[in-house]
Amino acid sequence: MKATKIADRVFWIGANISTNDLFEGIWPIPDGVTINSYVVKGDKIAIIDLVRDWADATSYMLDELKSIGIEFKDIDYFILNHLEPDHTGNLRALYELSGKAEIITSKKGKPLVKAYYGLSDKVRAVSSGDTLDLGQGKVLTFYDIPNVHWPETMATFDSSTGTLFPCDAFGSFGALKGSIFDDENSEENHEFYEKESLRYYSNIVGPFSNFVLKAINALGPLDIKIIAPSHGLVWRGDPGKIVERYKVYANYMNDYAEPKITVIFGSMYGNTQRMLRSVLKGIASEGVNVEIYKVPEADKSYILASAWESAGLIFGMPTYEYQMYPPMQDLISLLAQKHVWHKKVFRFGSFGWSGGAQKHFDQMTEKLKWDFLEPLEFQGGPTDEDLDKGFEMGKEFAHEIKKIPKKL
Ligand code: FEO
C-alpha cells in the first residue's frame, strides 16, 4: 500500500484491520477498524503513533513508508500520544530497526514505555506546550489530554498545516471504505461511521466523558484545520462535525439524551417475554423510538451503544435463584462500569416461588443516578390484568421520555 498525503509533508501510514478478533479482546468489529499512524517530515522525520502487529499492520506500515522514500533507519522520533498497545505494539521492534530514533511521550507515558517495552534510553517526556522542531518550519506542539483514553494521553499539533493528532479522541470503529477523508465519503458511509463512532465512544471512551469535554475546551483555541485521529476517518472537510459529535456523546453521560428507549430483556420460559409485548405496545402508542435487545444473545457492545444515547432504559427479566437473571446481571454490571448514568428506568419480570430480582436490581443500580418508575412483577405467567398494566406502564414511560427537554 502507498502512504496517503493528508497535508504538506504529513502522511497517513496506517493499517486497515479486518479480523474476527475482538477489539480490546471484548468488542466485536465485524466491519473492521483502522489503526492510523502518521509521518511528519521536516529536516527530521517523526512518526506519530504506531500500530499493533495485528492483521499484517506492521508490513502495511513499512510498505507505506517505503512508498514515500523513508526507511526505518531514517526515523528520528517516535511520538507516542497514548501507550495502549493498539498504538504502540510494534514499538520495540521498530525502535531496534531504527537504531537512532528517540521516543517522545508524556510524563505519565514514560514509565509505561519501560513497563510495556523495557525501553528507557532515548525516551523524552514532554508536557503541555512543549515543542519539537523538525526543521523546515515543522514545529510540533504537545498537549496533555489525560484520560482520553488513558491518564498518559496527549495530543500533537502541527501548526504549519493545522493538523491535530489526538489519538483515540474523535476516533471510530469501522475500516475504510476506500478513502480516509471525510470529504471523500458518501452520505451512506457517513451514516455507517456515525453508528460506529457512537459504538466506539460508548465502548471505549464513555466513562471518561468529562475528560473528553475538558480536552475539547483545552484544544479549542488551536487553529485546527484537520483532525487526524488514530482510528477512523481523517476530518479535513468539516473537522468541527466530529468535535460536535463527541461533545454530544460526552454529554450523554451528563443528563443529556435522545428521546429513545432501549429495551433489554431475557426470558427463561416465555412469561417475561409475554409481558414485553404489552409494554412495547404501550410504547408504540406514544410513537417513541425503541431498540430491543435480548440477552444473552445480543452483543453487549451494541446494547451499550444504544443505552448510552437513550433517555429511557427498560429491563425485562425474571428472578433466578432469588436474584436477577444472570445474563442481565452481567449486562447491568457493564452499564455501571461504563457510567451509563441519568436514565429513566422501568423494570418488569416474572418470578416463581418468590421474588428477589427487584431487590438485586435495586442494589446493583443504586449509584447510577437512575430515575425509576414503579416496577411490575408477577408470579408465573402474566394475567390479562397484568398485561393491561404492562401496556399502561409502557405508555406512561414513553410519555415521560417524550417530555425530556433537549439541553444542548
Ligand atoms: Fe486506540 Fe486507547 O487505544
Side-chain angles (χ1 to χ4, degrees), residues 23 82 84 86-87 149 168 200 204 231:
F23 192 84
H82 172 32
E84 192 163 9
D86 50 335
H87 308 293
H149 150 228
D168 277 353
Y200 168 85
I204 310 296
H231 301 291

